[in-house]
């Protein structure tokens, strides 16, 4: 089945540790995105990538880093510099074009203790 | 970054009632999307709108892309229990792969 896979579903980390969230897609989409969701809030864009080896900062990139070495994969690292990392993280992908929609993975809930 | 103005924030309705929610923006969008999210899951795309004035249906759901390109609405007719969840509007400005801008969501609750 084609889709977007995020892993793990739940992640616990100690404060001050970096943590990497995985996102893989087999939809052959060029563009991939990372969003953060807090309770009662909409989704806010962290980073996005339109093509392999290229990515752009979104609205809340501070404290996060990404890489795009393969078309299928777009991992997100939450660094110790992120002041409030506990959140629900969502990965999405889309084709590149004038009329495109984004499809989402199932999310990773990160809790920092 | 900008978020879309989505209303209402929550709705308490009886099963069988119709539902209406909308999103507005101070700037123009070229694409409007409506998603539904269940607790602990990723958003699922319901309807995509690409042209100003476009009216699109998906079963009991109907959405419209506003003529000004600054607003959109979603209607759900004859609500059923599985309609419960959070509905998000999202807009895309460009024609490339820039990210979506989201509303804060409308929480739909169906009372027995």
């Amino acid at each position: 089945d084609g889709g977007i896979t995020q892993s793990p579903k739940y992640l616990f980390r100690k404060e001050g540790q970096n943590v990497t969230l995985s996102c893989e897609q087999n939809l052959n989409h060029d563009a991939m995105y990372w969003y953060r969701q807090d309770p009662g809030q909409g989704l806010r864009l962290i980073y996005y990538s339109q093509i392999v080896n290229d990515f752009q900062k979104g609205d809340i990139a501070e404290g996060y880093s990404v890489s795009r070495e393969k078309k299928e994969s777009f991992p997100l690292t939450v660094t110790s510099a992120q002041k409030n990392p506990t959140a629900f993280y969502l990965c999405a992908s889309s084709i590149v074009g004038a009329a495109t929609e984004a499809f989402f993975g199932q999310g990773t809930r990160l809790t920092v203790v | 970054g900008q978020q879309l103005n989505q209303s209402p924030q929550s709705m308490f309705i009886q099963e069988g009632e119709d539902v209406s929610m909308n999103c507005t923006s101070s700037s123009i969008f070229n694409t409007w999307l409506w998603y539904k999210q269940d607790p602990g899951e990723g958003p699922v795309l319901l309807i995509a709108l690409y042209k100003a004035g476009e009216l699109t249906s998906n079963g009991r759901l109907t959405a419209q892309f506003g003529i000004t390109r600054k607003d959109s609405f979603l209607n759900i007719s004859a609500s059923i229990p599985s309609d419960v969840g959070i509905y998000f509007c999202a807009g895309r400005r460009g024609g490339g792969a820039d990210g979506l801008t989201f509303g804060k969501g409308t929480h739909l609750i169906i009372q027995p």
Side-chain angles (χ1 to χ4, degrees), chain B:
Chain B
Q2 176 193 14
Q3 281 196 314
L4 300 174
N5 299 312
Q6 185 171 351
S7 64
Q9 186 174 358
S10 58
M11 299 184 73
F12 296 80
I13 65 168
Q14 302 283 340
E15 184 177 349
E17 288 185 14
D18 295 344
V19 172
S20 183
M21 61 191 78
N22 69 83
C23 268
T24 61
S25 170
S26 58
S27 55
I28 289 172
F29 286 91
N30 290 323
T31 301
W32 282 92
L33 307 170
W34 285 92
Y35 290 88
K36 178 175 184 276
Q37 185 179 32
D38 292 325
E41 302 294 327
V44 174
L45 182 66
L46 298 174
I47 292 180
L49 302 159
Y50 302 114
K51 294 181 182 178
E54 179 181 358
L55 184 70
T56 297
S57 294
N58 178 9
R60 294 177 296 105
L61 278 60
T62 301
Q64 185 159 31
F65 190 146
I67 289 290
T68 65
R69 294 181 175 269
K70 295 182 178 181
D71 63 314
S72 177
F73 73 75
L74 174 71
N75 288 342
I76 304 173
S77 63
S79 59
I80 59 177
S82 62
D83 291 335
V84 168
I86 302 178
Y87 292 79
F88 289 99
C89 61
R92 169 172 274 153
R93 289 192 182 80
D98 54 321
L100 296 169
T101 300
F102 280 82
K104 291 189 176 183
T106 295
H107 192 179
L108 180 61
I109 300 162
I110 298 179
Q111 297 172 320

Side-chain angles (χ1 to χ4, degrees), chain A residues 14-39:
Chain A
K14 291 184 179 179
E15 193 172 343
Q17 289 182 336
N18 292 355
V19 60
T20 298
L21 282 59
S22 170
C23 179
E24 303 278 333
Q25 55 99 0
N26 60 4
L27 300 168
N28 200 33
H29 286 170
D30 285 307
M32 296 186 74
Y33 314 82
W34 275 104
Y35 291 87
R36 171 184 170 132
Q37 186 176 28
D38 294 287

Side-chain angles (χ1 to χ4, degrees), chain A residues 9-75:
Chain A
K9 180 73 172 174
Y10 300 96
L11 192 54
F12 295 86
R13 279 295 181 268
K14 291 184 179 179
E15 193 172 343
Q17 289 182 336
N18 292 355
V19 60
T20 298
L21 282 59
S22 170
C23 179
E24 303 278 333
Q25 55 99 0
N26 60 4
L27 300 168
N28 200 33
H29 286 170
D30 285 307
M32 296 186 74
Y33 314 82
W34 275 104
Y35 291 87
R36 171 184 170 132
Q37 186 176 28
D38 294 287
Q41 300 294 317
L43 282 65
R44 291 182 291 167
L45 183 64
I46 305 172
Y47 268 98
Y48 65 101
S49 168
Q50 300 188 40
I51 196 169
V52 173
N53 292 323
D54 185 56
F55 47 82
Q56 309 295 327
K57 291 182 179 180
D59 298 321
I60 55 166
E62 186 175 352
Y64 300 98
S65 66
V66 294
S67 63
R68 187 87 186 276
E69 297 177 0
K70 297 186 301 181
K71 186 176 184 178
E72 302 79 17
S73 179
F74 191 41

